[in-house]
Amino acid sequence: MKVSVGNKIVLIGAGDVGVAYAFALVNQGICDHLAIIDIDEKKLEGNVMDLNHGVVWAPSRTKVTKGTYADCEDAAMVVICAGAAQKPGETRLQLVDKNMKIMKSIVDDVMANGFDGIFLVASNPVDILTYACWKYSGLPAHRVIGSGTVLDSARFRYMLGEMYEVAPTSVHSYIIGEHGDTELPVLSSATIAGVSMRKQLEKDPSLEPKLEKIFEDTRDMAYKIIDAKGSTSYGIGMGLARISRAVLQNQDVAVPVAALLRGEYGEENIYIGTPAIVNRRGIRRVVELELTDHEQERFKHSADTLRAIQEKFFPAEEK
Ligand SMILES: NC(=O)c1ccc[n+]([C@@H]2O[C@H](COP(=O)([O-])OP(=O)(O)OC[C@H]3O[C@@H](n4cnc5c(N)ncnc54)[C@H](O)[C@@H]3O)[C@@H](O)[C@H]2O)c1
């Protein structure tokens, strides 16, 4: 058995999302070896050559190679971006049949090659496919992470930042729930440059419809971008790189991801978007935000929507 001595990442699926993630990894010098697998071998060879030609200008050396499943044996992380993407007007949940089969075959191949690291899943519908990855791999849940609402939260912070004219890094707010149409913003615990959003809403209730509009634009942003350029890629690529850095650098940082709930928010046995503390062991713990009654109702609706689809593939066990 090969033992992981470095920070090797195996990326499976080098389409628009996978390549954007690979570019972010190389640019930020996050891993020392990036092995990439895709069924479109010719395009993959082109991307591997192209990525290697930027390494000389990167903050540290990343060896980028065309990978095989044997690469998984000593990998610290396997990141899955393979599968069908949304077509214009298609919801993420409509991708589930196609992508569930792809997920099973990929996870079987990864595990057959002795993988003992951390999975990060981005393929959609990401919450359901992360649950599937956990079930198919047999790994403990803290070592299977989904990208969840990392992108949605980044979009929301950006758009709030534009409204308040502050950098998105000074805006703290999470989108939680399904990465999709039933997600919700948690305004009750949001802060803008340290000022509580809840207090601002109490002082000026006319803010509420404006904020709801920003949230709706955030939620529907993927449809707009897909309509304009065919896919969304750079935002999620950088979000995946952020989660990877949290893992490989053992950061104990709070990031929005899809994590398995075990009673948090009153839910269990479901992967769903929530902040979590992420480090070299994966998800150290789920952060349970304090929700208002209305936010809790919306979260439950989101969890119920996901569970209805999840149970078609993984029926609930009798209690
Ligand atoms: N989680 C998020 O926030 C988020 C954001 C954007 C897209 N996505 C999802 O990411 C996935 C990829 O999107 P995309 O725009 O890159 O699509 P894409 O069509 O550009 O790329 C998909 C890639 O997967 C490869 N592939 C398919 N089956 C494979 C297999 N069995 N093994 C290896 N490679 C395989 C294809 O050859 C292709 O290169 C989609 O499911 C999409 O919905 C997620």
Side-chain angles (χ1 to χ4, degrees):
M1 184 181 152
K2 281 202 259 171
V3 179
S4 173
V5 288
N7 279 332
K8 175 182 182 181
I9 294 180
V10 175
L11 163 63
I12 304 176
D16 290 352
V17 171
V19 168
Y21 168 60
F23 185 57
L25 284 179
V26 171
N27 243 322
Q28 295 177 36
I30 292 173
C31 60
D32 52 24
H33 182 181
L34 172 63
I36 313 179
I37 299 173
D38 196 291
I39 46 175
D40 185 342
E41 299 217 356
K42 187 160 180 233
K43 191 168 164 201
L44 174 59
E45 273 161 26
N47 275 318
V48 167
M49 286 189 275
D50 202 3
L51 284 162
N52 271 314
H53 300 162
V55 170
V56 69
W57 313 121
S60 62
R61 179 203 181 207
T62 307
K63 196 167 106 180
V64 185
T65 59
K66 186 177 155 194
T68 68
Y69 279 92
D71 275 299
C72 298
E73 190 182 359
D74 61 347
M77 294 181 76
V78 165
V79 182
I80 305 180
C81 300
Q86 285 168 276
K87 298 201 177 70
E90 195 174 26
T91 71
R92 296 171 180 94
L93 293 177
Q94 285 166 338
L95 298 170
V96 72
D97 292 315
K98 288 181 252 184
N99 285 348
M100 185 64 79
K101 288 195 191 103
I102 296 176
M103 180 60 64
K104 168 120 182 54
S105 78
I106 288 174
V107 174
D108 285 352
D109 283 345
V110 170
M111 297 313 292
N113 280 276
F115 177 59
D116 196 25
I118 289 164
F119 273 109
L120 174 58
V121 177
S123 311
N124 275 321
V126 70
D127 306 285
I128 309 249
L129 291 184
T130 310
Y131 183 92
C133 180
W134 170 54
K135 284 284 174 187
Y136 294 145
S137 68
L139 288 176
H142 67 271
R143 282 165 54 191
V144 181
I145 310 175
S147 59
T149 43
V150 72
L151 174 58
D152 321 68
S153 299
R155 283 178 177 148
F156 196 48
R157 289 173 69 181
Y158 162 74
M159 286 166 74
L160 287 175
E162 290 293 286
M163 176 174 162
Y164 283 92
E165 298 185 329
V166 294
T169 42
S170 295
V171 175
H172 292 281
S173 182
Y174 291 105
I175 300 277
I176 62 171
E178 173 204 353
H179 167 55
D181 298 344
T182 64
E183 66 189 22
L184 61 135
V186 187
L187 288 173
S188 56
S189 60
T191 57
I192 311 280
V195 177
S196 150
M197 184 68 90
R198 187 172 44 80
K199 288 259 164 66
Q200 289 186 54
L201 277 165
E202 277 166 16
K203 265 196 234 149
D204 178 6
S206 75
L207 262 179
E208 195 154 347
K210 284 185 210 150
L211 293 172
E212 191 60 28
K213 169 81 174 70
I214 289 191
F215 161 65
E216 284 167 10
D217 288 348
T218 303
R219 183 194 58 201
D220 299 338
M221 189 54 73
Y223 295 112
K224 205 168 166 185
I225 299 173
I226 290 169
D227 196 42
K229 70 170 201 111
S231 69
T232 77
S233 55
Y234 303 118
I236 182 60
M238 291 186 74
L240 291 170
R242 178 67 192 95
I243 299 169
S244 306
R245 196 150 44 87
V247 171
L248 295 183
Q249 297 177 3
N250 196 27
Q251 286 185 335
D252 279 321
V253 72
V255 262
V257 293
L260 185 76
L261 297 190
R262 291 184 161 120
E264 298 89 350
Y265 305 98
E267 301 290 340
E268 53 186 35
N269 195 37
I270 192 167
Y271 266 88
I272 193 164
T274 169
I277 305 301
V278 174
N279 68 15
R280 190 64 181 78
R281 299 163 77 90
I283 293 174
R284 191 172 137 205
R285 70 179 169 88
V286 167
V287 175
E288 185 175 2
L289 297 171
E290 214 175 291
L291 303 183
T292 62
D293 290 348
H294 182 53
E295 287 164 349
Q296 181 64 47
E297 246 169 63
R298 286 171 88 170
F299 188 82
K300 183 175 182 320
H301 170 62
S302 194
D304 288 346
T305 304
L306 286 174
R307 191 174 285 110
I309 296 173
Q310 180 181 299
E311 288 185 355
K312 287 189 195 156
F313 296 90
F314 303 95
E317 284 159 25
E318 299 273 331
K319 287 206 174 148

